[in-house]
Amino acid sequence: MIKFENVSKCYNDENKAVDSLNLTINDGEFFVLIGPSGCGKTTTLKMINRLIDLSEGTIYLDDKKISEYNIHELRWNIGYVLQQIALFPHMTIEENVAIVPELKKWDKKKVKDRITNLLENVGLEPEKYLNRKPSELSGGEQQRVGVVRALAADPNIILMDEPFSALDPISRKRLQQDMVKLKKKINKTIVFVTHDMQEALALGDRICIMQEGKIVQCDTPDEIIKNPKNDFVRNFFKSGNVYKTSLFESDYRVKDFVEEGLYDNMEYNEDINCINTEESLENLFSLLTKEKIIKIEQNGKVIGTLNMGHLVKFVANKLEKDGEV
Ligand code: ADP
Ligand code: MG
C-alpha cells in the first residue's frame, strides 16, 4: 500500500507543483494519474521512489515512511518505466534487463529464467532478442524491454511515466493490450501516468485526475464517467463533454455492443431490467446508472447482459478511434 498524507512539493517559493495530496493506492491496484501537462503527475510519481524529495507531508509504503527505507532497498523494489527508456547502448538486452536482479544477487539461472519468461510475456522471442543491442530494436520493442527491465527483479510496485506516449498509435495499442494481460498475471501495484483518457479508461482500476497540483477526482472509471465531478473532468472527455454530447447524439445503439462482443453472452434469468438491441446509448446509460446489470433482448430473446464496464470499454474504444482526447 502506498499512502500520501498531505504531501506537497515546492520547487520554488511561488507555487506548489503538488499541493496537499491525500491518496491511498492499494496493493495490486492499477492506479492511473492523469491530467494536463504541468499538473504535477511526474513529481507525484518521483516522490514515491525518492527521485524527488517532498517539501511537506509523508508518504508511507506498507505503513513505513519512505524516508526510513534504505534508498537502494526502496529503488530495487520499485520498478520504473519512463517515456523514453534509457537502455545502455553498449549492453545487450539481456545485460540491460539483468542489472537489478544481479544487484540483488540472484543466481544466474534464476535471472535467465526470469528474463526469458518476461520477454515472452511482452511478445519478444527471447532467442531473437536476448543478444541484440538496443539500437537494433524499434521504439516499441525498446519500450517493451523497458517494461521487462522494470519487472525483472520482481518489485512489488511499478511506476510508469507516460511509457507509451512516444510510440506510434499501433505499437501503443499493442503495448496497452499487453499491459492489460500482464496486469492480470503479475498482480503488482502499478502507478501509471498518462495524459490520455482512452489509455486511462483502458487500463485503470482507479483514475486520479489532477489539475494544478491537486486532485480533482479519484474514482473508478465508471464512477468518473457516471459522475464527473466538474467541468474540468467532463472536458477531459473531449470538447465539452464527449460523453453527453457527441456519443449520445451519435447513432450508436445497443446492437453495436453486441456486434463488438462487448457484453456477457450468458443466460440470465433473474428479474432485472431489459433493453432492446435497437435502443440508444443514452437509454442504456440511464438504465445503467440505476442498475448494475441489464439484460439485452434481441427479437424477443434474452441474449446476454451488459454492465457499466462494457459501457466504459465502448467509450474508450470510440475515443480511441476518434483520436486523442
Ligand atoms: P507533469 O508530469 O504533470 O507534466 P510535473 O510534475 O513535471 O508535471 O511538473 C509540475 C510543475 O512543477 C510544473 O509547473 C513544472 O514546471 C514544475 N517543475 C517540475 N520539475 C521542476 C524542477 N526540477 N524545477 C522547477 N520546477 C519544476
Ligand atoms: Mg510528466
Side-chain angles (χ1 to χ4, degrees):
M1 193 185 69
I2 308 167
K3 189 167 164 202
F4 283 70
E5 229 173 55
N6 290 317
V7 172
S8 296
K9 173 68 188 180
C10 318
Y11 290 104
N12 50 44
D13 299 338
E14 284 149 42
N15 41 28
K16 290 180 171 173
V18 168
D19 193 354
S20 327
L21 280 202
N22 283 295
L23 189 64
T24 301
I25 302 170
N26 301 313
D27 288 341
E29 189 169 34
F30 200 114
F31 190 87
V32 176
L33 282 171
I34 189 169
S37 180
C39 72
K41 305 181 293 294
T42 297
T43 305
T44 303
L45 203 68
K46 284 185 172 174
M47 287 191 292
I48 298 174
N49 62 359
R50 285 173 51 193
L51 282 173
I52 293 179
D53 290 325
L54 28 153
S55 309
E56 286 163 32
T58 320
I59 300 176
Y60 296 92
L61 218 172
D62 298 331
D63 297 322
K64 181 167 153 184
K65 293 180 184 175
I66 52 162
S67 55
E68 287 172 0
Y69 281 86
N70 168 299
I71 187 87
H72 302 297
E73 183 198 358
L74 187 79
R75 298 257 170 88
W76 293 349
N77 287 305
I78 301 181
Y80 188 43
V81 189
L82 292 158
Q83 180 176 348
Q84 211 108 45
I85 118 137
L87 295 170
F88 295 105
H90 304 296
M91 289 160 73
T92 64
I93 300 310
E94 181 172 8
E95 288 162 346
N96 264 287
V97 175
I99 297 171
V100 179
E102 277 171 6
L103 285 169
K104 279 184 149 180
K105 305 207 177 338
W106 284 18
D107 75 62
K108 285 224 156 27
K109 168 135 186 6
K110 184 172 168 190
V111 178
K112 184 92 180 184
D113 289 349
R114 174 85 182 155
I115 297 176
T116 309
N117 179 273
L118 284 171
L119 283 173
E120 279 167 357
N121 266 311
V122 298
L124 298 174
E125 287 169 56
E127 315 79 68
K128 224 163 122 184
Y129 288 92
L130 279 172
N131 296 316
R132 287 202 194 170
K133 295 275 170 62
S135 62
E136 297 164 319
L137 268 60
S138 72
E141 289 167 341
Q142 289 189 30
Q143 282 309 99
R144 279 163 205 271
V145 173
V147 173
V148 169
R149 186 168 73 175
L151 288 166
D154 208 13
N156 295 321
I157 298 171
I158 326 261
L159 310 178
M160 304 181 88
D161 197 350
E162 310 214 16
F164 310 144
S165 61
L167 301 177
D168 62 274
I170 295 171
S171 315
R172 179 174 180 167
K173 180 80 204 268
R174 256 194 238 135
L175 264 159
Q176 282 178 11
Q177 287 167 342
D178 283 349
M179 269 324 284
V180 172
K181 279 189 229 142
L182 210 59
K183 157 182 145 177
K184 286 192 192 133
K185 249 191 220 169
I186 58 179
N187 193 33
K188 307 255 176 217
T189 309
I190 299 174
V191 190
F192 188 101
V193 167
T194 180
H195 58 262
D196 176 354
M197 194 44 113
Q198 181 274 324
E199 193 161 83
L201 289 171
L203 295 171
D205 294 322
R206 267 195 308 157
I207 300 174
C208 176
I209 301 170
M210 291 181 71
Q211 180 186 27
E212 293 173 5
K214 294 198 176 73
I215 297 173
V216 186
Q217 185 167 8
C218 181
D219 258 317
T220 57
D222 14 328
E223 215 26 63
I224 287 178
I225 288 191
K226 258 196 286 185
N227 298 311
K229 190 147 175 202
N230 57 23
D231 284 344
F232 178 78
V233 176
R234 232 167 266 132
N235 285 338
F236 235 92
F237 293 94
K238 223 171 181 177
S239 52
N241 179 351
V242 136
Y243 202 67
K244 280 228 151 77
T245 54
S246 40
L247 272 179
F248 277 2
E249 281 163 17
S250 68
D251 220 16
Y252 292 124
R253 298 191 177 274
V254 173
K255 64 180 176 202
D256 295 304
F257 286 69
V258 176
E259 270 165 28
E260 290 181 26
L262 276 178
Y263 70 111
D264 286 326
N265 171 9
M266 57 176 189
E267 274 186 41
Y268 201 88
N269 298 319
E270 310 252 327
D271 189 18
I272 52 168
N273 271 326
C274 201
I275 192 162
N276 190 276
T277 45
E278 289 305 319
E279 293 218 38
S280 68
L281 198 63
E282 185 158 10
N283 291 347
L284 172 66
F285 180 73
S286 79
L287 279 177
L288 279 174
T289 53
K290 290 177 223 129
E291 304 247 14
K292 276 210 155 89
I293 359 179
I294 299 170
K295 292 192 278 199
I296 320 166
E297 178 207 70
Q298 190 170 41
N299 305 325
K301 252 178 50 196
V302 174
I303 58 166
T305 59
L306 276 169
N307 59 40
M308 199 44 111
H310 297 120
L311 189 63
V312 170
K313 191 82 209 305
F314 189 81
V315 175
N317 289 350
K318 297 305 160 217
L319 287 182
E320 180 182 72
K321 233 172 68 190
D322 297 343
E324 281 227 348
V325 185

